[in-house]
Every structure is written in structure tokens, then in C-alpha cells.
Amino acid sequence: ISYLLVLLDPPSSRLGVRVGICSVSHNTNRETKVQIGDSVRGKDVFILQTGAKDVNNCIMELLIMAYGCRTSSAKSIVGVVPYMPYSKQCKMRKRGCIVSKLLAKLMVQAGLTHIITMDLHQKEIQGFFDCPVDNLRASPFLLEYITQSIPDWKNGVIVARDPGSAKKATSYSERLRLGIAVIHGEPKYQESESDQEDGRNSPPPDPERSRTYELRDDMPFLTAKAKPPITVVGDVSGKIAIMVDDIVDDVHRFVAVAETLREAGAYKIYLLATHGLLSSDAPRLLEESFIDEVVVTNTIPHEMQKLQCSKIKTVDISVILAEGIRRIHHDESMSYLFRNVFLED
């Protein structure tokens, strides 16, 4: 590989290449300053950056470094972003905007010619980028953890925390040949992402206050959505419940689901996810919950969270990132990672 600039280290050691010299600092007014210490002219540059806790600074560091390589005549600039920031803001809400598309435009305009990421919140986000995007999968590593590190895993059942996660849970259950359960309903204090008010489900206007709307006798009325209490659809009694998801950040939902699963008869509860943001008081809530183990990959650093919660386990996925970098540099097929060694969701 011609050149590798990284802000995060593990894949470089696997590839046996030198980490490029680059200093990142902040001025007194918090402006980001990036200084590249080596020549990148005519080189293939791979910038490894992820959406860690200080997400906005991480984005600016990536954009400035990419633009610096672009203006220094780099041959190609590949952004290796294991966790894509703002990926959950990929739908229109009220008078907001689709922030993930804005970020995609910024990354391409800054000079990135290719993106490697992992388990996007929605696969359709790839269409926001005007450059090739390889959305790698962490599921083979998590499946391997289930089969090798969970005792009596064949007595397990895959659990989707809501109907929206049923597709991912079905993928896991088919590969492991296990049953599936889906959580239906919402805790009283929590509102699901799909039920958030966006104006499209508003009831008809009041005919007494409207001058243009005339009420007909046969006109149907929209009724307010009734949110049932949280329940389990499926049999988990006497089984190991394995919850799967892509992002673990606000864990209130998972804690409530774990309590319901324990009441339904599950004697052990695992939570597996690709990206462990674990913000705010998430480690404390997980430590006090009925969840026996939380398994996340190292797409996001979470060493401090592990000190606060002994239940958090880490699965290393640097091998697939390193192989992806090597294949792109040598113009080899990336589909091999899905078709052979690494299975696609």
C-alpha cells in the first residue's frame, strides 16, 4: 500500500504498513487544525476515522484531512469510517432535514473518492454518496461469538427489540437455525422512531372551524394510535434470549425489553450489536439490568464504558477492515468479503 494516514491504529498493524505522520490539534476557539507530515502526492491515502463521542470534531478532522490530501495531489482518498455519524438521521421528521445526506455531500466535496463503512443504520444511505460505498458486515463476527462463547446457544432464541429490527433478527435466526421472538409495544416513557409525529398522520381539520372542508356522513375519521404495553411475540420460556441490533446508545429500551423477557421466562439474556455508543449513563443502566452480557464490536472505542460495566464484551473486527483496504488498493473484488468468508445480511 502506497500510503496510510490513520487516526485509529489496528488495521495498519495487520497490513504491516507505516502510519502516516499527521498532527491534529484545536485552537483556543476550538477550530480544528490538521497538519500532514509526509508527502501524499500520487499516493493512495486511507483515512481511518469513526464517529466517536465527540462526533462533530471527528467529522471536521476527517473533512479537513481529506481536503488536505486532495489539495496535496493524492491519487485517491479512501475514508474508512467504521461507524458512520448521523446515520440514524436518514429520514425526514417534521421540518427537519436528512442530515446523513448532508454529511455524505460534505465528505465527497472534501475529496473522499471511496467510503468503507460497517453496518449502516439503513442500507439506502449508500445512495446519498456520489462515490462508491462498501458497507461491510459485522454479523459473521457476532455469529461466531454466539456459537463459541455462549454456552448452550442452541437453546437460544433471537429477539428483535421492535418490529423494525425483525429483518436483522430473522437473518441471525436463519443462519443459526434458532427461533425468533419480536417485542411488540412500547414502554410508557418511550416513543418509537416510527411513531414520532411528522405531520403525515394528522387527523382531518375540524369542520366547524374550516371554511373549505365539508363533512360528509360517510367520511371516515382517523383515530389516535393506541400504544399497547410491551409484550413478547414468541416463546422465550426456559430459553436464552439473544437480542440483536446495529446500534446501542440509549439503552432504556433494551433494559425494559430485558425485564419483559425475564418475566416471560428467559433465564439468560444477551445483547449483541455492531456499534456500542453507550452514551451518558448507559453503562450504569446495563450493569443494573437483567441483561447478562453486552457484546459490541470495536467500531467505536469504549474502554471507559467497560470500566463502568463489567458486562460489556468486545469483538475485534479490524481484520475485515484491513482486508477491505488491501483489496481496494490492489483493485480486487470486494464482493468476495460477502460471498465467501463474510456473509451478507
Side-chain angles (χ1 to χ4, degrees), residues 14 25 36 57-58 83 92 94 102 109 130 141 151 159 190 193 240 247-248 254 273 275 277 284 325 335:
R14 289 186 176 275
S25 59
I36 300 172
N57 275 335
C58 291
Y83 169 65
M92 179 68 75
K94 291 188 177 181
L102 170 64
Q109 288 297 319
D130 294 327
F141 300 93
V159 179
Q190 187 173 2
E193 197 173 300
I240 300 174
I247 300 173
V248 176
F254 296 103
H275 310 296
L277 276 69
R284 178 185 61 81
I325 291 172
S335 63

Side-chain angles (χ1 to χ4, degrees), residues 96-128:
C97 62
I98 304 176
V99 184
S100 55
K101 181 174 182 179
L102 170 64
L103 180 60
K105 295 293 184 183
L106 289 172
M107 294 172 72
V108 174
Q109 288 297 319
L112 293 175
T113 58
H114 200 125
I115 301 292
I116 301 176
T117 186
M118 179 165 285
D119 282 348
L120 287 171
H121 186 60
Q122 297 289 340
K123 295 180 182 179
E124 292 75 13
I125 295 176
Q126 297 175 76
F128 295 160

Side-chain angles (χ1 to χ4, degrees), residues 185-237:
E186 294 288 337
K188 292 182 179 179
Y189 57 84
Q190 187 173 2
E191 185 180 11
S192 70
E193 197 173 300
S194 60
D195 290 337
Q196 291 178 6
E197 179 61 44
D198 60 4
R200 289 177 291 182
N201 296 322
S202 301
D206 188 349
E208 296 181 0
R209 299 182 180 181
S210 175
R211 299 179 181 178
T212 60
Y213 183 85
E214 295 181 0
L215 181 65
R216 300 202 320 260
D217 293 338
D218 59 344
M219 177 70 71
F221 282 92
L222 293 177
T223 57
K225 289 184 178 180
K227 295 182 180 179
I230 187 169
T231 55
V232 182
V233 181
D235 181 23
V236 297
S237 179

Side-chain angles (χ1 to χ4, degrees), residues 140-141 319-320 323 336-344:
F141 300 93
V319 59
I320 190 173
E323 179 64 12
Y336 180 89
L337 299 179
F338 304 111
R339 191 172 60 247
N340 294 278
V341 182
F342 306 103
L343 303 176
E344 183 177 5

Side-chain angles (χ1 to χ4, degrees), residues 5 12 109 165 177 211 293 328:
L5 279 177
S12 64
Q109 288 297 319
S165 304
R177 294 175 174 82
R211 299 179 181 178
E293 202 165 279
I328 288 177

